[in-house]
Amino acid sequence: MRYFLDSHVKEDPRLLDVYVEAKRCYAEMDLCQHNFHHVIRDLYRALMIAASEEPVKYNILIPGVLLHDIGFSDPGFKTEGHDAVGAGIASKILRSFGFGEPTCHAVCHCVRSHKGKAELPETIEAKILYDADVLEKSGAVALIHGGKIICELGQTLDEYLRKEIEDRKREIDRGFYTAKAREIDNGSIAKLLDLLLEVQEETRRTRLDFVVSEDDLWLDKSAPSAFLSPVEGYVAGP
Ligand SMILES: [Fe+2]
Ligand SMILES: [Fe+2]
């Protein structure tokens, strides 16, 4: 079975406006992982899941998925979270295309709850978005996306592993909201958690060379910075 946007756009042409604006915004953000390709993957999964869930309001689900990671365009995401700041940005975009208050409110709930952190998904549209986004992290392929996240957020390998392991454990404990997402996952998120734990174990126990830093090469820890900006009176160590 294939899933298309055409009929939904025919029913509400403003969805195309949101699609084009979202595509423009993500292109401007130019991120390695949280870009329009990721949004398209989530949107496809959301349409797959929605086909098994009735009734679904597509004029809420589709903008919700399209705008769910728009919060990365605001530097405030580092402190407030991209889910929380993204809801405000999504609301402004929707209003500019003439969406009314109830729709804006429902889409904002989808964006705010897509991580299950700022709030938990309560509507079927928010639950589908949550599941579609969690499925991006299920299976071995997520390790490739992980490399892109490390680049995008400037994390160390250890920081990335600690955060991803914590997030995957929480998602596994919570479970998926929809039966279709559980079927698509088929245990793959647990498989990814095992792989992340294996990499963490490897880099902590046997392959320290993968996480070595510049400091590890110097007995005198002030040496590297002294070479970059020489300090008067600096004397090289033994
Ligand atoms: Fe996100
Ligand atoms: Fe996402």
Side-chain angles (χ1 to χ4, degrees):
M1 183 156 174
R2 302 283 303 278
Y3 305 89
F4 300 103
L5 291 173
D6 310 55
S7 62
H8 305 299
V9 166
K10 209 169 181 179
E11 210 158 288
D12 188 345
R14 294 174 302 177
L15 294 179
L16 184 59
D17 296 329
V18 180
Y19 183 97
V20 172
E21 177 61 7
K23 190 172 178 178
R24 189 194 66 75
C25 289
Y26 288 105
E28 204 172 275
M29 286 151 68
D30 196 23
L31 298 176
C32 300
Q33 168 63 11
H34 296 99
N35 51 34
F36 202 61
H37 299 293
H38 161 60
V39 169
I40 291 298
R41 291 192 292 272
D42 273 12
L43 189 49
Y44 187 77
R45 291 183 200 112
L47 294 174
M48 280 175 84
I49 297 168
S52 308
E53 300 285 333
E54 291 291 339
V56 172
K57 294 182 185 121
Y58 285 91
N59 66 335
I60 290 166
L61 177 65
I62 294 171
V65 180
L66 285 169
L67 300 172
H68 81 279
D69 276 338
I70 209 78
F72 283 112
S73 63
D74 183 331
F77 86 85
K78 288 177 188 157
T79 50
E80 294 169 55
H82 73 280
D83 41 4
V85 294
I89 300 168
S91 184
K92 276 185 204 152
I93 291 174
L94 293 174
R95 275 176 224 285
S96 74
F97 293 124
F99 285 89
E101 182 56 36
T103 307
C104 290
H105 187 264
V107 174
C108 282
H109 169 61
C110 292
V111 175
R112 274 183 69 82
S113 64
H114 84 269
K115 297 296 295 175
K117 286 181 179 169
E119 62 191 43
L120 289 175
E122 287 172 6
T123 62
I124 186 60
E125 293 81 17
K127 288 173 182 174
I128 292 172
L129 168 58
Y130 172 92
D131 280 0
D133 202 46
V134 169
L135 283 170
E136 176 85 341
K137 309 277 179 62
S138 84
V141 70
L143 286 183
I144 293 170
H145 294 147
K148 294 190 282 177
I149 291 171
I150 287 173
C151 287
E152 186 180 301
L153 300 179
Q155 293 172 315
T156 63
L157 181 58
D158 194 51
E159 285 166 347
Y160 164 78
L161 289 168
R162 269 190 282 121
K163 181 172 180 307
E164 293 298 308
I165 287 168
E166 191 184 300
D167 284 355
R168 294 303 79 75
K169 281 181 176 171
R170 190 177 45 250
E171 287 155 5
I172 290 169
D173 286 348
R174 180 180 292 142
F176 287 99
Y177 287 96
T178 64
K180 186 68 181 176
R182 261 191 301 281
E183 181 194 319
I184 296 168
D185 175 62
N186 193 26
S188 295
I189 193 165
K191 181 177 164 186
L192 174 68
L193 176 60
D194 287 345
L195 289 170
L196 291 168
L197 288 166
E198 190 182 325
V199 175
Q200 191 180 57
E201 177 73 10
E202 185 178 80
T203 54
R204 284 185 176 179
R205 306 266 177 253
T206 57
R207 295 299 304 269
L208 297 175
D209 53 310
F210 280 131
V211 287
V212 72
S213 73
E214 190 179 12
D215 271 359
D216 294 314
L217 290 174
W218 294 92
L219 196 58
D220 176 358
K221 302 300 178 199
S222 65
S225 54
F227 287 141
L228 281 174
S229 50
V231 177
E232 206 176 325
Y234 168 76
V235 180

